[in-house]
Amino acid sequence: MLQDKFGREIHDLRISVTDRCNFSCVYCKSADPKNYFPHRDLPTWDEFLRVARVLAGQGIRKVRVTGGEPLLRDGIVNFIGDLHRIRGLTDIAITTKGYLLPEMAAVLAATGPVRVTVSLDSTDPAKFARITRTPRSCEKVMAGVEAALAAGLKPVKVNIVLVRGFNDDEIVEFARLARRQDLIVRFIEFMPLDADHAWSRGVVITAKEIVETVNAVFPLVEIPRRSPSETALRYQFADGQGELGIIAPVSIPFCGQCSRLRLTADGKIRTCLFSLREHDVRHLVRNGATDDDLAQFFTRVVHQKEPGHRINEPDFVQPKRTMVYIGG
Ligand code: SAM
C-alpha cells in the first residue's frame, strides 16, 4: 500500500490521456491554445497501462480517466477495456464533456462497468456557448447523459463548476435535476487553475452559498460521507427525493483525506492538483526502468505528497498548468 508521510493511503489514480479538448471552458483552458503537447510526448496506451499495472500492485484500486477530452483520443475504448483487466483495479471511471457519448456510450458500456461523470455547466444553449467558448450544443451533451444512462453506464454523475456571473443563476435548476433518481449532481467550486488567471475569491460560489440557495427552494439535510476520502459533501432533499453533492476545495478543503495521484497527459506524476513540482515517469518508462524501479519511484514520489493545496494561504502560487493539461 502506498502511504505518504502524513499517513494518507493512496488508492486513486487519475490519468489524463490527452491535452486536446473540444471545448475551451472559461475556468480551464485558454480560448486559443497553441501549446498542445507533440504526439510523441503523449504516453502510448501501453505506457499508461504499464504505470497503472505497477500502481495497482501497490494498492491503487480506482482509476479515473480524464483529459483534456478523453473520448477524443483514438483507442480510448480499448484502453478502458484493458484497465478492466488489470488485477487489483476495482473501479474504473471517466470524466468527459459528454459530447461524444451519444456515439460512444454503448461501446464503452460493453467494456464493463464504467462510472461516468459528465461536465455540464449550463442547460441554456446561449450560456453554455459562453462558458465553453464553442458553438457546440448543450443539447448534445444532455443527449450524452441520456445515452450513458440508456447504455447502463451507472452511476452517471453531472458536474457543474459554478462561476459567478456565468451560471450561478442555474443552481436551483440543477438542484431540480438532482431530484431525478437516476442522476447524481455535483456542484464544484471554481479553483485557481484557469488559463486566463480570471479566478478571484469573488467569482467562487461557495458551498455555503449553494446550500443556502437550494435550501430556500428545496430543503436539504446533510448526510454522512460514505468513505473518509470522498470529496463531496452530500445532502439529501428533505422530502427524500434524491440528493446532491458539493465539492468545495476552496471553502472547505479536504486535503487531509486526499487519496489521489495524478498522471498528466505528458507522463508526469503530480501528487496534488496544485503541485509546483512534477515527477517524470514517462522518461523512466522509455529508458529501461523495470517494474521494481517504477514501484520504488512511486513510493519515493508519494512520500513527497504535499500536505495541502495552500489556496487559502497568502503565499499561494497558481500552478503553470491548467486542468486541461493536468487532468481534472
Ligand atoms: N473534458 C472533460 C470534462 O470536461 O469533463 C475532462 C477534463 S476536465 C479538465 C475535468 C473536470 O475539471 C471538469 O469537470 C471540469 O469542469 C473541471 N475543471 C476544470 N477547470 C476547473 C477549475 N478551474 N475549477 C474547478 N473545476 C475545474
Side-chain angles (χ1 to χ4, degrees), residues 11-322:
H11 41 75
D12 294 350
L13 172 67
R14 301 202 169 196
I15 303 180
S16 173
V17 296
T18 178
D19 59 335
R20 275 68 167 171
C21 191
N22 42 359
F23 291 88
S24 297
C25 300
V26 289
Y27 52 76
C28 186
K29 195 172 116 174
S30 86
D32 181 22
K34 296 186 178 64
N35 45 353
Y36 284 128
F37 302 137
H39 280 288
R40 66 175 180 280
D41 284 356
L42 302 180
T44 63
W45 291 124
D46 281 345
E47 288 169 342
F48 279 133
L49 287 168
R50 177 148 179 242
V51 169
R53 204 173 289 116
V54 172
L55 281 168
Q58 294 182 282
I60 292 288
R61 294 290 162 259
K62 171 176 172 185
V63 172
R64 176 170 293 281
V65 177
T66 178
E69 174 47 53
L71 296 182
L72 282 181
R73 187 161 171 186
D74 277 351
I76 182 69
V77 174
N78 287 341
F79 175 63
I80 302 263
D82 289 340
L83 285 176
H84 280 301
R85 285 185 281 278
I86 292 182
R87 193 188 316 183
L89 294 185
T90 52
D91 188 354
I92 309 294
I94 187 164
T95 302
T96 168
K97 206 71 189 181
Y99 190 78
L100 296 170
L101 277 176
E103 294 90 343
M104 297 179 73
V107 280
L108 263 182
T111 67
V114 182
R115 298 197 294 124
V116 176
T117 298
V118 176
S119 307
L120 172 66
D121 302 311
S122 176
T123 56
D124 171 316
K127 265 191 269 170
F128 183 84
R130 192 168 155 238
I131 295 170
T132 59
R133 299 191 283 205
T134 71
R136 283 177 243 281
S137 72
C138 61
E139 284 89 345
K140 188 156 174 215
V141 176
M142 290 191 276
V145 171
E146 300 303 333
L149 288 169
L153 287 166
K154 293 197 180 88
V156 176
K157 277 189 202 157
V158 173
N159 271 1
I160 305 117
V161 176
L162 289 171
V163 184
R164 197 177 304 284
F166 280 90
N167 57 355
D168 47 324
D169 55 346
E170 281 189 75
I171 295 175
V172 170
E173 222 26 69
F174 276 113
R176 207 180 301 282
L177 190 70
R179 291 169 65 74
R180 268 177 63 162
Q181 299 299 329
D182 53 354
L183 282 182
I184 299 174
V185 169
R186 297 273 187 257
F187 292 105
I188 307 179
E189 289 180 349
F190 177 20
M191 293 180 279
L193 278 170
D194 55 317
D196 298 343
H197 289 254
W199 185 90
S200 71
R201 263 168 219 288
V203 295
V204 178
I205 312 290
T206 62
K208 182 168 180 285
E209 193 174 338
I210 298 166
V211 171
E212 283 169 2
T213 307
V214 177
N215 237 334
V217 183
F218 300 116
L220 294 172
V221 182
E222 191 168 355
I223 46 181
R225 288 172 196 244
R226 271 175 298 226
S227 75
S229 59
E230 188 169 43
T231 49
L233 304 163
R234 291 165 61 220
Y235 298 85
Q236 211 164 39
F237 292 104
D239 64 4
Q241 202 177 327
E243 65 163 81
L244 59 78
I246 304 176
I247 301 177
V250 179
S251 68
I252 312 174
F254 40 84
C255 306
Q257 287 79 46
C258 184
S259 58
R260 277 171 291 284
L261 269 191
R262 294 185 142 81
L263 178 56
T264 65
D266 60 346
K268 309 281 171 24
I269 296 281
R270 291 177 73 92
T271 45
C272 172
L273 254 185
F274 292 89
S275 290
L276 298 175
R277 192 171 161 209
E278 298 180 334
H279 308 267
D280 192 349
V281 67
R282 189 197 65 204
H283 176 80
L284 288 181
V285 166
R286 291 189 177 174
N287 286 280
T290 64
D291 285 358
D292 278 349
D293 295 336
L294 292 181
Q296 283 171 30
F297 167 79
F298 295 133
T299 302
R300 282 197 304 276
V301 164
V302 163
H303 206 65
Q304 296 169 55
K305 187 171 166 68
E306 300 79 346
H309 59 42
R310 304 185 62 77
I311 295 176
N312 299 313
E313 305 300 323
D315 58 350
F316 170 73
V317 178
Q318 176 168 341
K320 288 206 177 66
R321 306 236 227 183
T322 72

